[in-house]
Amino acid sequence: MSAGPDIVLVLARADNGVIGKDGGLPWRLPADLRHFKALTLGHPMVMGRKTFDSLPGLLPGRRHIVLTRDAQWRGEGAEIAHDAASAIRIAAASPVMVIGGAEIYRLFLPLATRIELTEVHIDAQGDAAIAYPDPTAWQETARADHPAQGDAPAHSFVTFHRRTAP
Protein backbone atom coordinates (compact mmCIF):
# COMPACT_ATOMS: atom_id res chain seq x y z
CA MET A 1 0.00 0.00 0.00
CA SER A 2 1.17 3.50 -0.79
CA ALA A 3 2.38 5.70 2.08
CA GLY A 4 0.59 8.74 0.65
CA PRO A 5 -3.03 9.26 -0.31
CA ASP A 6 -4.77 6.99 -2.79
CA ILE A 7 -4.49 8.61 -6.23
CA VAL A 8 -7.34 7.50 -8.49
CA LEU A 9 -7.40 8.18 -12.25
CA VAL A 10 -11.01 8.53 -13.43
CA LEU A 11 -11.40 8.44 -17.19
CA ALA A 12 -13.41 7.25 -20.14
CA ARG A 13 -11.54 5.83 -23.13
CA ALA A 14 -12.74 4.61 -26.52
CA ASP A 15 -11.49 1.23 -27.71
CA ASN A 16 -8.98 3.02 -29.98
CA GLY A 17 -7.51 5.06 -27.09
CA VAL A 18 -9.31 8.36 -27.69
CA ILE A 19 -10.35 10.25 -24.54
CA GLY A 20 -11.22 13.68 -25.93
CA LYS A 21 -12.06 15.84 -28.90
CA ASP A 22 -12.01 19.64 -29.11
CA GLY A 23 -11.94 19.98 -25.31
CA GLY A 24 -14.89 17.64 -24.72
CA LEU A 25 -15.93 14.02 -24.95
CA PRO A 26 -16.47 12.50 -28.42
CA TRP A 27 -19.52 10.53 -27.26
CA ARG A 28 -22.71 11.01 -25.28
CA LEU A 29 -22.97 8.50 -22.45
CA PRO A 30 -25.28 9.56 -19.59
CA ALA A 31 -24.48 6.39 -17.60
CA ASP A 32 -20.81 7.40 -17.52
CA LEU A 33 -21.68 10.89 -16.26
CA ARG A 34 -23.67 9.30 -13.40
CA HIS A 35 -20.78 6.90 -12.71
CA PHE A 36 -18.31 9.80 -12.70
CA LYS A 37 -20.47 11.72 -10.22
CA ALA A 38 -20.77 8.70 -7.92
CA LEU A 39 -16.99 8.17 -7.96
CA THR A 40 -15.96 11.80 -7.42
CA LEU A 41 -18.67 13.22 -5.14
CA GLY A 42 -17.19 14.34 -1.83
CA HIS A 43 -13.59 14.04 -3.04
CA PRO A 44 -11.06 16.59 -4.31
CA MET A 45 -10.57 16.43 -8.08
CA VAL A 46 -7.28 17.31 -9.79
CA MET A 47 -7.48 18.41 -13.40
CA GLY A 48 -5.69 20.43 -16.01
CA ARG A 49 -6.82 23.92 -16.98
CA LYS A 50 -8.40 22.76 -20.25
CA THR A 51 -10.44 20.14 -18.40
CA PHE A 52 -11.57 22.78 -15.89
CA ASP A 53 -12.55 25.09 -18.75
CA SER A 54 -14.53 22.26 -20.40
CA LEU A 55 -16.76 21.70 -17.35
CA PRO A 56 -20.28 23.15 -17.48
CA GLY A 57 -19.45 24.96 -14.22
CA LEU A 58 -18.26 23.96 -10.78
CA LEU A 59 -19.39 20.44 -9.99
CA PRO A 60 -21.25 20.45 -6.66
CA GLY A 61 -19.80 18.57 -3.72
CA ARG A 62 -16.26 18.41 -5.07
CA ARG A 63 -13.16 20.57 -4.81
CA HIS A 64 -11.60 21.63 -8.11
CA ILE A 65 -7.78 21.64 -8.00
CA VAL A 66 -6.40 22.90 -11.29
CA LEU A 67 -2.87 22.06 -12.36
CA THR A 68 -1.47 24.77 -14.63
CA ARG A 69 1.93 26.11 -15.68
CA ASP A 70 0.46 29.62 -15.98
CA ALA A 71 1.30 31.45 -12.73
CA GLN A 72 -1.23 34.19 -13.62
CA TRP A 73 -4.19 31.92 -14.35
CA ARG A 74 -7.23 32.14 -12.09
CA GLY A 75 -10.56 30.33 -12.26
CA GLU A 76 -13.56 30.99 -10.08
CA GLY A 77 -13.84 28.19 -7.52
CA ALA A 78 -10.51 26.66 -8.53
CA GLU A 79 -7.63 25.90 -6.19
CA ILE A 80 -4.42 26.30 -8.17
CA ALA A 81 -1.39 24.01 -8.22
CA HIS A 82 1.69 24.12 -10.42
CA ASP A 83 2.96 20.54 -9.99
CA ALA A 84 1.67 17.13 -8.95
CA ALA A 85 3.16 17.27 -5.45
CA SER A 86 1.51 20.60 -4.66
CA ALA A 87 -1.84 19.37 -6.06
CA ILE A 88 -1.70 16.37 -3.71
CA ARG A 89 -0.68 18.61 -0.81
CA ILE A 90 -3.55 21.04 -1.54
CA ALA A 91 -6.01 18.13 -1.74
CA ALA A 92 -4.95 16.98 1.76
CA ALA A 93 -7.30 14.00 1.43
CA SER A 94 -7.51 10.40 0.34
CA PRO A 95 -8.55 9.51 -2.24
CA VAL A 96 -7.56 12.23 -4.70
CA MET A 97 -9.50 11.89 -7.96
CA VAL A 98 -7.54 12.81 -11.11
CA ILE A 99 -9.96 13.63 -13.93
CA GLY A 100 -7.83 14.71 -16.90
CA GLY A 101 -6.80 15.51 -19.45
CA ALA A 102 -4.28 13.25 -21.15
CA GLU A 103 -1.18 15.15 -19.99
CA ILE A 104 -2.44 15.17 -16.38
CA TYR A 105 -3.18 11.43 -16.53
CA ARG A 106 0.35 10.74 -17.77
CA LEU A 107 1.79 12.93 -15.00
CA PHE A 108 -0.15 11.15 -12.24
CA LEU A 109 0.03 7.58 -13.61
CA PRO A 110 3.28 6.76 -11.74
CA LEU A 111 1.63 7.95 -8.49
CA ALA A 112 -1.75 6.30 -9.02
CA THR A 113 -2.99 3.42 -6.89
CA ARG A 114 -6.27 2.83 -8.77
CA ILE A 115 -7.79 3.47 -12.19
CA GLU A 116 -11.55 3.80 -12.69
CA LEU A 117 -11.90 3.36 -16.45
CA THR A 118 -15.01 3.53 -18.55
CA GLU A 119 -14.30 1.56 -21.72
CA VAL A 120 -16.47 3.08 -24.44
CA HIS A 121 -16.84 0.36 -27.07
CA ILE A 122 -16.45 2.50 -30.18
CA ASP A 123 -13.59 3.79 -32.30
CA ALA A 124 -13.87 7.53 -31.74
CA GLN A 125 -12.40 10.45 -33.63
CA GLY A 126 -10.49 12.76 -31.32
CA ASP A 127 -7.37 14.74 -30.53
CA ALA A 128 -6.44 13.32 -27.10
CA ALA A 129 -5.60 9.68 -26.42
CA ILE A 130 -4.10 7.52 -23.73
CA ALA A 131 -2.75 3.96 -23.66
CA TYR A 132 -4.62 1.12 -22.00
CA PRO A 133 -3.31 0.27 -18.49
CA ASP A 134 -0.21 -1.94 -18.66
CA PRO A 135 -1.28 -5.42 -17.45
CA THR A 136 2.14 -5.99 -15.87
CA ALA A 137 1.58 -2.98 -13.58
CA TRP A 138 -2.22 -3.06 -13.18
CA GLN A 139 -4.68 -5.80 -12.24
CA GLU A 140 -8.32 -5.65 -13.23
CA THR A 141 -10.34 -6.10 -10.03
CA ALA A 142 -13.90 -5.29 -11.14
CA ARG A 143 -15.87 -5.07 -14.39
CA ALA A 144 -19.48 -4.25 -15.24
CA ASP A 145 -20.43 -4.56 -18.93
CA HIS A 146 -23.39 -2.62 -20.36
CA PRO A 147 -24.94 -3.04 -23.85
CA ALA A 148 -25.64 -0.16 -26.20
CA GLN A 149 -28.94 1.59 -25.54
CA GLY A 150 -30.42 3.98 -28.06
CA ASP A 151 -27.68 6.44 -29.08
CA ALA A 152 -25.47 5.45 -26.14
CA PRO A 153 -22.68 3.03 -27.09
CA ALA A 154 -21.91 -0.21 -25.27
CA HIS A 155 -19.50 0.41 -22.40
CA SER A 156 -17.81 -1.23 -19.43
CA PHE A 157 -16.94 0.19 -16.02
CA VAL A 158 -13.57 -1.31 -15.09
CA THR A 159 -11.51 -0.94 -11.91
CA PHE A 160 -7.78 -1.56 -11.88
CA HIS A 161 -5.50 -1.66 -8.85
CA ARG A 162 -1.74 -1.24 -9.05
CA ARG A 163 0.03 -4.58 -8.63
CA THR A 164 2.80 -2.96 -6.54
CA ALA A 165 2.79 0.29 -4.57
CA PRO A 166 4.01 3.36 -6.51
Side-chain angles (χ1 to χ4, degrees):
M1 207 67 193
S2 166
D6 282 331
I7 307 294
V8 181
L9 306 186
V10 181
L11 69 145
R13 179 188 179 279
D15 288 339
N16 63 345
V18 169
I19 65 167
K21 179 180 181 181
D22 301 329
L25 297 174
W27 50 76
R28 182 166 154 26
L29 190 52
D32 182 49
L33 298 177
R34 289 189 298 275
H35 183 67
F36 175 87
K37 181 178 181 180
L39 287 169
T40 61
L41 196 61
H43 301 294
M45 300 181 306
V46 175
M47 68 203 81
R49 182 192 48 78
K50 291 178 190 171
T51 297
F52 180 80
D53 289 343
S54 76
L55 297 176
L58 293 176
L59 303 180
R62 290 154 275 195
R63 291 172 50 214
H64 297 67
I65 301 168
V66 178
L67 197 54
T68 177
R69 291 183 204 93
D70 183 348
Q72 306 307 311
W73 184 85
R74 299 289 178 264
E76 188 174 337
E79 298 172 69
I80 300 165
H82 299 293
D83 58 54
S86 62
I88 292 167
R89 191 172 49 256
I90 289 166
S94 186
V96 176
M97 311 308 264
V98 177
I99 67 165
E103 189 175 337
I104 303 301
Y105 289 132
R106 282 190 278 279
L107 181 65
F108 278 88
L109 183 62
L111 307 172
T113 53
R114 189 171 93 218
I115 299 172
E116 293 291 346
L117 174 65
T118 300
E119 296 174 341
V120 183
H121 299 302
I122 59 172
D123 283 341
Q125 297 295 313
D127 53 22
I130 195 163
Y132 200 75
D134 176 356
T136 64
W138 295 93
Q139 179 176 0
E140 182 179 314
T141 57
R143 173 178 289 270
D145 297 320
H146 302 276
Q149 286 190 312
D151 292 338
H155 57 283
S156 302
F157 298 133
V158 187
T159 300
F160 294 91
H161 282 88
R162 186 176 289 281
R163 290 184 184 273
T164 57

